[in-house]
Amino acid sequence: MVTIKQIADICGVSRGTVDRVLNNRGNVKPEKKEMILSVARELDYTPNPAGKALAARKTKLLLGIVMPSVGIEFFDIVIDAMKKAEKSYSYYGMKVEWHLTKGYDVDVQYKALENMIDRANAVIVSPINDDRIRDIIKRLTDNGIMVITINTDIEGSTRHCFVGTDYVNGGMTAGALMQMIGHGKLNIGITLGSLKILGHKLRLKGFEKIVDSSKNAKIIAVTEDEDDDICSYDRNTRMLQEHPEINAIFAASSGGIYGACRAVMAQKRTKDMTMVVFDTIPSTIEMIESDIIQATIYQHPRRQGQTAMQIAFDYLVYGIQPAKEKYLLSNEIRIKENVRAYY
Amino acid sequence: MVTIKQIADICGVSRGTVDRVLNNRGNVKPEKKEMILSVARELDYTPNPAGKALAARKTKLLLGIVMPSVGIEFFDIVIDAMKKAEKSYSYYGMKVEWHLTKGYDVDVQYKALENMIDRANAVIVSPINDDRIRDIIKRLTDNGIMVITINTDIEGSTRHCFVGTDYVNGGMTAGALMQMIGHGKLNIGITLGSLKILGHKLRLKGFEKIVDSSKNAKIIAVTEDEDDDICSYDRNTRMLQEHPEINAIFAASSGGIYGACRAVMAQKRTKDMTMVVFDTIPSTIEMIESDIIQATIYQHPRRQGQTAMQIAFDYLVYGIQPAKEKYLLSNEIRIKENVRAYY
DNA sequence: TTGAAAGCGATACCAC
DNA sequence: GTGGTATCGCTTTCAA
């Protein structure tokens, strides 16, 4: 537990000088710098977070949050966790600016991100997988702003790190689980939000990978429900009518799960149908408790929010760079008995 | 973001006086006290953690950790997480004293706990469910020491809070899952560590509750493996020989799972056996990847450790009382595809 | 019963 | 380039 003051005393310089060296602020003679650095290393100096935090109050830190979250229930939990974190971090002088939008309009997201340049010190974004977004993220990082992607990543961008889940693994887990709990040969219908959403595409990929290597399961049809329950109801009804042999449904959607359930119910197929879905939004929990859905993959929404906030906070207040490029939370299987989580 | 100084200015008193009121240190005229309190409430005063933490360095805080963890692999992860937390909290002047022992000797645990009186400010303990332990915990709490139980709770004690999982729910989840993934009618053999361990008893209770209400499953035999692989191998071999109709094994043990697997393998019963177990220690992961075990219930060992440390830290450094009496982490289902967790 | 002042560790800023 | 000083918010101690 060495302090800057102690190092200063040992080296016979002032705390200001030590501070300059330790934080690479320049304006120190090379030989002094060397000495200070070696003493700090020798004594294993690590800054005291409380001291840093207190001093950080003097600067104004701005974190921008840009998410197309409106209307997607999964995000409600993520955002609730982020707001809790915001509150506890506010003591440290960190301000948060929220840009929550509805739908995947590239223009809207682009403008929101552009607006953060020259103002924010860090940005958390759930990005649309689009070239213009990649461009604006590059401009942000070029301006020294830390960019964290949450829940969905964006391929080939300069963002600092990603917080979310391994979507391919999620699909694989769902596929393997479906085969474990399904009865007899599985004829699978798939409903997903949109192939334009990277996560859904990857889930499908993982699921196919598992199912294609199995003799007891076969994918019969795939439909896109646009993350909308009404649309999902229509499309899934048609899918079930066209393929009455379907006896299992994999829902990789984020917004159309309830609609798919209603289609199954309307077609009076609940008895012999195996359904595996994602997330634990209220309607999904209800469907699990009514035995319409057998299992769901839980993706730690709360911890996704917490983790992203923590990374931003550690960077802004403590100057700590993220340790990893990807913070992947695990895919958990939930059934009726454990779907209502505790803490 | 009001500070003590601002409240002092508003009330026309000194910061010392405000501090005395806010921390119930007495020696303040009732009318001043009233005024200060009402202003603080009005302005929604919440102490700045950084300031508190910095000032807390002046006092020496001691946390005692007492766990019969030696030789139980599950605890390795819990303790690793606790050590990480210890390191990061050390900046705040919190010292940790470890008492890790092997086996469930009441005397040993009693002495370790007694040793903390008059020295520790908080204690984290994985208690043996015994009257003498209850007594010594009472002495600790009577002396103003915060006591947190971890992983296993102790009935009717004065401990402040418990961090762990809902064991009954864990048993229920395992029971329901086993029926989902098992084939045909299930004749179940159960192996558990010891009925003397509260957690194992509760797991069994939850499991029985689910299975007893089902027509497709029946518990054939229960054996105790003393959390030891060799013993478990013996007992389970005998159980399988005596009851060849057993086609499913529920292992609620913490140390005898691998031994049970070896018994199943030796009896050449791996093909038609459904095994559901607890935790993800290395040997269990290996058995899952070899298709000997089909599923396991994951109990967030890492987060158990983190949470307990966090509660102790928040209390010692910030004076925050735990918000809940039980911090229950969820029971997660892991299969081959998601058993190797990420973060 | 109260106020004033020192200090916890790190940083910003102003002199020189 | 460098040192000194004030400051962040809170607690503790000493003096009155």
Side-chain angles (χ1 to χ4, degrees):
Chain A
M1 296 303 88
V2 217
T3 69
I4 283 192
K5 185 175 181 334
Q6 290 169 337
I7 295 179
D9 289 348
I10 291 171
C11 296
V13 297
S14 78
R15 294 135 84 198
T17 305
V18 176
D19 180 64
R20 258 166 262 142
V21 171
L22 261 23
N23 293 286
N24 292 312
R25 296 189 224 284
N27 290 330
V28 179
K29 251 202 217 132
E31 61 241 49
K32 284 201 179 180
K33 179 171 170 176
E34 270 320 303
M35 172 172 66
I36 291 170
L37 274 179
S38 79
V39 169
R41 247 193 306 271
E42 182 72 27
L43 269 36
D44 192 28
Y45 170 77
T46 11
N48 182 315
K52 277 211 161 205
L54 210 43
R57 290 217 39 140
K58 297 180 187 173
T59 41
K60 66 288 152 265
L61 275 6
L62 182 62
L63 166 65
I65 298 182
V66 178
M67 292 172 77
S69 58
V70 177
I72 299 186
E73 282 182 277
F74 174 81
F75 278 118
D76 291 351
I77 312 288
V78 180
I79 285 169
D80 185 67
M82 293 173 94
K83 295 220 159 151
K84 288 236 169 67
E86 171 186 12
K87 200 176 160 218
S88 74
Y89 293 158
S90 66
Y91 303 111
Y92 298 90
M94 183 169 113
K95 291 268 167 302
V96 178
E97 208 176 280
W98 295 85
H99 289 274
L100 305 182
T101 58
K102 184 173 171 65
Y104 298 96
D105 186 326
V106 172
D107 237 45
V108 171
Q109 186 165 85
Y110 185 93
K111 290 216 178 84
L113 288 171
E114 187 174 41
N115 178 254
M116 308 302 332
I117 297 184
D118 292 335
R119 301 200 306 116
N121 309 89
V123 167
I124 296 177
V125 57
S126 200
I128 301 172
N129 193 18
D130 181 279
D131 277 336
R132 291 190 59 209
I133 301 299
R134 242 179 300 275
D135 289 348
I136 189 71
I137 287 181
K138 175 139 176 44
R139 271 180 61 202
L140 288 168
T141 54
D142 284 351
N143 275 37
I145 299 174
M146 154 160 293
V147 175
I148 301 164
T149 52
I150 185 168
N151 191 253
T152 322
D153 204 4
I154 175 165
E155 294 166 316
S157 97
T158 53
R159 54 106 182 105
H160 291 78
C161 63
F162 165 66
V163 176
T165 54
D166 182 332
Y167 278 99
V168 175
N169 179 265
M172 289 173 61
T173 303
L177 179 68
M178 182 175 267
Q179 293 183 58
M180 290 172 80
I181 65 179
H183 305 290
K185 180 158 176 15
L186 295 183
N187 295 311
I188 304 169
I190 298 178
T191 181
L192 37 76
S194 163
L195 279 172
K196 275 177 267 172
I197 295 175
L198 185 58
H200 294 182
K201 211 161 78 178
L202 295 175
R203 278 178 187 162
L204 180 59
K205 191 174 140 193
F207 187 83
E208 284 174 334
K209 187 171 161 185
I210 286 285
V211 169
D212 288 350
S213 67
S214 157
K215 287 181 295 283
N216 285 316
K218 198 173 135 192
I219 294 170
I220 303 291
V222 179
T223 188
E224 289 181 66
D225 61 32
E226 288 169 25
D227 279 338
D228 177 84
D229 280 323
I230 308 298
C231 175
S232 176
Y233 174 76
D234 271 349
R235 302 278 170 86
N236 279 282
T237 298
R238 198 175 321 150
M239 184 169 79
L240 288 172
Q241 285 170 341
E242 284 175 9
H243 305 281
E245 75 273 31
I246 286 177
N247 61 3
I249 288 182
F250 170 55
S253 160
S254 22
I257 294 175
Y258 181 67
C261 290
R262 289 298 296 269
V264 171
M265 289 157 83
Q267 299 296 311
K268 305 213 190 305
R269 298 294 310 279
T270 57
K271 281 284 173 326
D272 63 329
M273 188 69 68
T274 300
M275 287 191 78
V276 174
V277 309
F278 276 87
D279 304 330
T280 56
I281 60 175
S283 60
T284 294
I285 293 183
E286 205 183 295
M287 290 294 99
I288 288 180
E289 293 184 334
S290 313
D291 296 315
I292 309 293
I293 293 173
Q294 280 65 51
T296 188
I297 310 292
Y298 179 76
Q299 307 196 92
H300 295 289
R302 179 143 242 115
R303 291 178 67 204
Q304 288 192 25
Q306 280 170 357
T307 305
M309 291 295 279
Q310 175 92 48
I311 294 169
F313 174 77
D314 283 346
Y315 169 70
L316 293 179
V317 174
Y318 299 140
I320 298 174
Q321 296 288 336
K324 302 190 265 185
E325 188 231 344
K326 291 192 179 192
Y327 290 79
L328 295 180
L329 300 173
S330 36
N331 293 295
E332 312 287 3
I333 297 167
R334 298 271 172 99
I335 60 178
K336 201 203 249 189
E337 277 67 23
N338 68 339
V339 74
R340 291 192 182 271
Y342 318 83
Y343 164 64
Chain B
M1 295 303 87
V2 217
T3 68
I4 284 192
K5 186 177 182 330
Q6 290 169 336
I7 296 179
D9 289 347
I10 292 171
C11 297
V13 298
S14 77
R15 295 134 84 195
T17 305
V18 177
D19 179 66
R20 258 166 263 141
V21 171
L22 261 23
N23 294 287
N24 292 313
R25 298 190 222 282
N27 290 330
V28 178
K29 250 201 218 137
E31 60 243 49
K32 285 202 178 181
K33 179 172 171 175
E34 270 320 304
M35 173 172 65
I36 290 170
L37 275 180
S38 78
V39 170
R41 247 193 306 270
E42 180 73 26
L43 270 35
D44 191 28
Y45 170 79
T46 11
N48 182 315
K52 277 211 161 200
L54 213 42
R57 288 219 38 145
K58 297 179 187 172
T59 42
K60 68 285 153 269
L61 276 4
L62 182 63
L63 166 66
I65 299 183
V66 178
M67 292 171 78
S69 59
V70 177
I72 299 185
E73 284 182 276
F74 174 82
F75 278 119
D76 292 350
I77 312 288
V78 180
I79 286 169
D80 184 67
M82 293 173 95
K83 295 221 158 152
K84 288 237 167 66
E86 170 187 11
K87 201 178 160 217
S88 74
Y89 294 158
S90 66
Y91 302 110
Y92 299 88
M94 183 169 114
K95 291 268 168 298
V96 179
E97 209 176 280
W98 295 86
H99 288 275
L100 305 183
T101 59
K102 185 172 172 64
Y104 299 95
D105 185 326
V106 173
D107 237 45
V108 171
Q109 186 164 86
Y110 185 93
K111 290 217 178 84
L113 288 171
E114 187 174 42
N115 178 253
M116 307 301 334
I117 297 182
D118 291 336
R119 302 201 304 116
N121 310 88
V123 167
I124 296 177
V125 57
S126 199
I128 301 171
N129 193 19
D130 182 278
D131 277 337
R132 292 190 58 211
I133 301 299
R134 244 180 299 275
D135 289 349
I136 189 69
I137 287 180
K138 175 139 175 44
R139 272 180 60 204
L140 288 168
T141 53
D142 283 351
N143 277 36
I145 299 174
M146 154 159 293
V147 176
I148 302 164
T149 52
I150 185 168
N151 191 255
T152 323
D153 205 5
I154 176 165
E155 293 165 316
S157 98
T158 53
R159 55 107 183 103
H160 291 79
C161 64
F162 165 65
V163 176
T165 53
D166 182 334
Y167 280 100
V168 175
N169 179 266
M172 289 172 62
T173 302
L177 179 68
M178 181 175 268
Q179 292 182 59
M180 290 172 80
I181 65 178
H183 305 290
K185 181 157 175 15
L186 295 184
N187 296 311
I188 304 168
I190 298 178
T191 180
L192 37 76
S194 163
L195 280 171
K196 276 175 268 173
I197 297 175
L198 185 58
H200 294 182
K201 210 162 79 179
L202 294 176
R203 278 178 189 163
L204 179 60
K205 192 174 140 194
F207 187 84
E208 282 173 334
K209 187 170 162 187
I210 285 286
V211 169
D212 287 351
S213 66
S214 156
K215 287 180 296 284
N216 286 315
K218 199 172 134 192
I219 294 170
I220 302 292
V222 178
T223 188
E224 289 182 64
D225 60 33
E226 288 169 25
D227 279 338
D228 176 84
D229 280 321
I230 307 298
C231 176
S232 176
Y233 173 76
D234 271 348
R235 304 276 169 85
N236 279 282
T237 297
R238 198 177 320 150
M239 185 169 78
L240 288 171
Q241 285 170 341
E242 285 175 9
H243 305 281
E245 75 273 30
I246 286 177
N247 61 1
I249 289 181
F250 170 54
S253 160
S254 22
I257 294 175
Y258 180 67
C261 289
R262 288 297 296 268
V264 171
M265 289 157 83
Q267 297 297 310
K268 305 215 187 307
R269 297 295 310 280
T270 57
K271 281 284 172 323
D272 63 327
M273 188 69 67
T274 300
M275 288 191 76
V276 174
V277 310
F278 276 88
D279 304 329
T280 56
I281 61 175
S283 60
T284 294
I285 292 182
E286 204 182 296
M287 289 295 100
I288 288 180
E289 293 184 334
S290 313
D291 296 316
I292 309 294
I293 294 172
Q294 280 64 52
T296 187
I297 309 293
Y298 179 77
Q299 306 195 93
H300 296 290
R302 177 142 244 116
R303 290 178 68 202
Q304 288 191 25
Q306 279 170 357
T307 305
M309 290 295 280
Q310 175 92 49
I311 293 169
F313 173 78
D314 283 346
Y315 169 69
L316 293 180
V317 174
Y318 300 140
I320 299 175
Q321 296 287 337
K324 303 189 265 185
E325 188 230 344
K326 291 191 178 192
Y327 289 79
L328 295 179
L329 299 174
S330 36
N331 293 295
E332 311 287 3
I333 297 167
R334 296 271 173 101
I335 60 177
K336 201 203 250 188
E337 277 66 24
N338 68 339
V339 74
R340 291 193 183 271
Y342 316 84
Y343 166 63

